[in-house]
Amino acid sequence: MRMLHTIRYGRLFDDFVPGAVYAHPWEVTVDEGMLAFFAASFQDVIPTYASRRAARGLGLRDRPVHPLLLLNLGLSFSVHDVSEQAIAHLAYMDVRFPNACYPGDTVVAASRVIGTRPVSTGDKGVVHVRTEVSNQDGEVVCSFERKVLVRVGKVSGRPAIPPQIVADERPTATLARAPASLLGELAPPPRAAFPTFWDDFEVGDVYAHEAGRTVSEAEHMQLTTLFRNSHPMHVDERYCQKSSFAKTRVVFGGLVLAWVLSLSSRDTAGNAVWDLGLDEGAHPSGVLAGDTLYAASSVVAKEERGKHAGVVVLRVIGLKNTPARVLLERGADLFTPELGKTAGRVPEKAVEITRTLLVRRRT
């Protein structure tokens, strides 16, 4: 009788070693087809990532890969070693896009365990990792930290590939890093520009974005597998009937984040030239196929950055099945983080994050 093998992936809490580096096995060449599919699904309006002409006008050699596509690849690649056994994704932190990635580049990822912390119940713990996505030349094109909640124990049947243990060399944050050409002389904006320039933002302003986006089952399943996310919570209905809080497949959070930022982009990012980063992100509740997403943004800060552009910091909120204007008119506290609230929770909130953009000035 032949030996029966069952191989399992991901890790439980006791498998994680602070300082360990897990080199994820996925290696994917980002081609024009993937960019086209991403653009058709998310409709983010930042021209640098949508138009070769706009990108070259900024001094880039070609249209770069959208940073939210890179983030989704990095999150998905890391599932294999970090979160395939996880209960929940808890937070996004220090998300940066320090170098441009271009169609034809091949990307890989690795994650370092920054720390582990058991929770008071003793049956699970929080794991904090930093993931870096690099191209074929070793340049980091996306980096981020995240926290996941996993059960205690060790995974049996996991391939015996020892992690690398190296000294902690976490890079310092590069919040305002962008290609040097973007901080120099920018060409005048096109005649048919989107409405909001850096000059139009005022700290404290709130945008209730009207566009909604219904999540279809076929689309979220196809995008999840396109990005190589292997968590059964997103792709395996039989598993979810037994093990999911929703008793059905839950939409991958990276997709929810990308849809919400895209819904907000026409009002706030149409004249942006670079996505400087994301921070303080979380998913207060899950999204299912059939839910309709909406967005709201609040202007947190702004500053000049060169003669033709400035930095805008936005707190962006994603909501499910109720438009932002309706909730705001009811007096809902949308922009206070849900974690730690003792009152005023917003059950419709599906994602919250801070986005920092480099945006053109009007003149």
Side-chain angles (χ1 to χ4, degrees):
M1 180 177 177
R2 293 182 178 179
M3 183 177 293
L4 177 64
H5 296 275
T6 299
I7 299 177
R8 302 180 70 201
Y9 301 100
R11 285 175 166 82
L12 293 175
F13 185 74
D14 299 309
D15 293 313
F16 288 97
V17 179
V21 175
Y22 307 124
H24 311 308
W26 292 110
E27 179 175 315
V28 172
T29 299
V30 182
D31 59 19
E32 292 283 358
M34 185 178 287
L35 265 63
F37 191 13
F38 182 89
S41 295
F42 295 96
Q43 294 184 316
D44 187 272
V45 305
I46 299 178
T48 308
Y49 311 118
S51 164
R52 178 174 287 118
R53 183 173 70 168
R56 289 178 175 172
L58 295 170
L60 301 173
R61 65 177 172 85
D62 201 350
R63 172 182 62 153
V65 176
H66 199 292
L68 295 178
L69 191 158
L70 294 172
L71 176 60
N72 270 277
L73 285 173
L75 289 167
S76 298
F77 287 8
S78 71
V79 168
H80 175 89
D81 291 294
V82 174
S83 58
E84 194 157 328
Q85 304 294 329
I87 302 168
H89 170 95
L90 299 178
Y92 304 94
M93 300 162 291
D94 196 26
V95 184
R96 301 291 179 259
F97 310 102
N99 295 291
C101 179
Y102 295 100
D105 283 354
T106 297
V107 295
V108 296
S111 297
R112 180 198 302 274
V113 182
I114 294 174
T116 60
R117 177 179 58 83
V119 301
S120 58
T121 57
D123 60 342
K124 48 189 171 289
V126 176
V127 177
H128 182 178
V129 302
R130 182 174 189 86
T131 300
E132 291 188 344
V133 181
S134 304
N135 65 12
Q136 67 280 350
D137 299 318
E139 296 175 323
V140 176
V141 295
C142 174
S143 67
F144 57 91
E145 294 181 19
R146 67 176 180 131
K147 293 183 178 181
V148 294
L149 184 68
V150 293
R151 295 179 180 87
V152 299
K154 289 179 172 286
V155 172
S156 61
R158 182 177 173 80
I161 302 173
Q164 180 184 10
I165 308 292
V166 298
D168 188 358
E169 299 175 353
R170 292 170 59 194
T172 56
T174 52
L175 180 62
R177 183 170 178 178
S181 64
L182 306 188
L183 303 179
E185 294 290 330
L186 294 179
R191 178 181 60 83
F194 286 98
T196 314
F197 290 83
W198 180 86
D199 318 67
D200 301 311
F201 291 101
E202 296 294 338
V203 174
D205 283 354
V206 171
Y207 294 81
H209 310 294
E210 291 210 342
R213 178 68 156 76
T214 301
V215 177
S216 78
E217 182 171 317
E219 186 176 33
H220 90 78
M221 287 287 290
Q222 190 168 18
L223 286 164
T224 298
T225 53
L226 175 72
F227 292 131
R228 277 65 171 183
N229 191 315
S230 53
H231 199 301
M233 183 79 75
H234 308 311
V235 297
D236 184 340
E237 184 69 13
R238 293 296 180 90
Y239 169 93
C240 290
Q241 288 169 0
K242 295 180 179 180
S243 303
S244 167
F245 66 90
K247 304 305 178 187
T248 188
R249 286 160 289 173
V250 179
V251 179
F252 167 34
L255 303 179
V256 175
L257 174 63
W259 275 316
V260 166
L261 292 177
S262 298
L263 287 171
S264 72
S265 68
R266 190 166 48 158
D267 296 334
T268 59
N271 294 294
V273 293
W274 198 256
D275 212 317
L276 294 174
L278 305 166
D279 210 345
E280 301 173 325
H283 288 284
S285 63
V287 172
L288 308 179
D291 283 344
T292 298
L293 298 171
Y294 297 93
S297 301
S298 174
V299 183
V300 175
K302 62 179 289 192
E303 64 178 50
E304 294 187 19
R305 188 61 53 86
K307 185 165 61 173
H308 301 289
V311 172
V312 176
V313 182
L314 301 163
R315 186 65 175 169
V316 184
I317 305 301
L319 304 160
K320 54 185 182 182
N321 303 321
T322 306
R325 178 174 291 278
V326 173
L327 292 170
L328 288 167
E329 289 174 347
R330 293 177 188 168
D333 180 14
L334 292 190
F335 296 103
T336 300
E338 292 297 291
L339 184 64
K341 270 187 180 179
T342 57
R345 289 188 62 84
V346 182
E348 295 88 350
K349 194 186 290 188
V351 66
E352 52 189 0
I353 203 158
T354 299
R355 187 182 202 182
T356 302
L357 295 168
L358 184 66
V359 183
R360 286 181 181 273
R361 303 187 72 158
R362 188 175 294 277
T363 56

